Amino acid sequence: ALMTSNTDDILGNLFDDFAEKETQDFYDQIENCDVWFLTGPVVRQSAYSSQTLNASPSAHQLLKAMCERVGITNWKVFATYSVPDVEEGDISTEEKNLLREKLSVAIDRANPKLIVPVSNLALVLTTKKSGIFGKRGKVFPFVGNEEIPVCPTYNVYETVDEPSLRPLFHQDLDNAYHRYVKDQKTDWTEGYTLCDTEEKILSALSEISQADRLAFDLETTGLDFKLDKITTIAITINGREESVVFPMHHVESPRNDR
């Protein structure tokens, strides 16, 4: 019985040491670079493999292509959970808090200029917010260091499967990189006329009614045509470089209640 007890203690200590070492090694992989892409759990290298990857080959290829288009050369992708085949809902709040603490240590050590969550788990760990689909394109401070911007975009695996998400994925990444890494501020007042008064609206409609060619661009609150609303309508008249923009259900529109 004594021998069994000692054996159990030894095995227990071995498993504890292994678990601690595995977790430590997992977070030690995080390296210094300008832009971090954070995914959810690691993925298996193949269906029955015990080897894991920070992102699937198709997801990594998509991120590589996006970075090349934007001009990002110094980037890395890291998973935020060391066990594959785990749903976010199966990870307890206590474990998420522990993961966030470990992630904060890694971020303090590596000091990235921009964090881009591409999974909801990564968004939760970096900002304590959820709902990445509705948070994409926005900026939040990292909970462990408010000087580091966190700019989420669509889930990378959903973007791999749904090509229609890729233009906005690219737009989010391009805007965040040039604003927070390259420090290039965009003057959003150029290139359009905001029709936010009755006089401007009537003037624009008069031009539109006499135009030979029109190009339309809609911004919406989402992609569900039954539930989401149009926030702005941009119209380019006769191929001009400047557009006229009508705010509709935009939160900052003075005519939002009409």
Side-chain angles (χ1 to χ4, degrees):
L2 180 60
M3 184 175 182
T4 302
S5 176
N6 289 340
T7 302
D8 289 343
D9 290 342
I10 292 172
L11 289 175
N13 290 335
L14 283 175
F15 282 123
D16 289 342
D17 291 343
F18 177 78
E20 183 177 348
K21 181 178 185 299
E22 184 183 53
T23 302
Q24 187 63 42
D25 289 346
F26 175 71
Y27 286 99
D28 276 349
Q29 71 170 317
I30 293 180
E31 303 171 3
N32 183 28
C33 61
D34 288 342
V35 180
W36 279 14
F37 293 97
L38 296 182
T39 66
V42 294
V43 297
R44 296 185 185 277
Q45 193 167 11
S46 60
Y48 302 103
S49 174
S50 61
Q51 299 297 314
T52 58
L53 304 169
N54 284 304
S56 70
S58 57
H60 194 276
Q61 189 62 35
L62 175 68
L63 293 175
K64 180 180 178 182
M66 290 288 182
C67 286
E68 287 176 350
R69 287 184 62 191
V70 173
I72 304 172
T73 57
N74 188 13
W75 64 277
K76 299 280 186 181
V77 55
F78 302 111
T80 51
Y81 197 71
S82 60
V83 181
D85 309 322
V86 175
E87 297 292 333
E88 181 191 341
D90 296 330
I91 305 174
S92 68
T93 300
E94 291 76 13
E95 188 172 7
K96 288 176 182 176
N97 290 336
L98 180 61
L99 290 171
R100 189 177 293 111
E101 291 177 7
K102 292 178 177 293
L103 192 59
S104 295
V105 172
I107 288 174
D108 285 343
R109 183 180 70 247
N111 195 32
K113 296 179 180 178
L114 173 66
I115 298 173
V116 183
V118 289
S119 77
N120 196 69
L121 176 60
L123 177 66
V124 170
L125 295 180
T126 53
T127 67
K128 292 186 178 181
K129 299 180 184 298
S130 186
I132 193 168
F133 200 89
K135 302 292 191 301
R136 57 141 292 268
K138 301 177 182 178
V139 60
F140 306 94
F142 173 58
V143 291
N145 183 343
E146 293 188 355
E147 295 183 359
I148 300 177
V150 178
C151 300
T153 187
Y154 289 126
N155 182 295
V156 67
Y157 296 110
E158 293 179 3
T159 309
V160 168
D161 293 337
E162 182 49 71
S164 65
L165 300 178
R166 296 177 191 178
L168 287 179
F169 191 107
H170 170 261
Q171 176 182 298
D172 294 342
L173 183 57
D174 187 76
N175 290 341
Y177 176 71
H178 286 97
R179 182 175 181 84
Y180 297 108
V181 178
K182 304 297 287 184
D183 198 30
Q184 297 174 354
K185 304 296 189 293
T186 302
D187 186 357
W188 298 109
T189 63
E190 295 183 355
Y192 72 92
T193 297
L194 181 64
C195 299
D196 55 353
T197 66
E198 186 172 347
E199 292 75 18
K200 290 181 181 179
I201 293 172
L202 293 175
S203 175
L205 291 177
S206 176
E207 284 193 84
I208 290 169
S209 66
Q210 302 175 49
D212 297 322
R213 291 177 295 130
L214 298 173
F216 292 82
D217 180 45
L218 302 181
E219 293 293 334
T220 66
T221 56
L223 300 178
D224 190 326
F225 68 92
K226 294 182 179 179
L227 298 177
D228 292 304
K229 297 180 179 180
I230 296 172
T231 56
T232 57
I233 301 175
I235 303 176
T236 301
I237 303 170
N238 292 334
R240 296 178 189 169
E241 292 186 1
E242 183 173 291
S243 301
V244 290
V245 176
F246 300 90
M248 303 294 289
H249 297 283
H250 196 285
V251 292
E252 297 180 3
S253 170
R255 311 180 72 83
N256 189 32
D257 59 343
R258 303 189 185 187

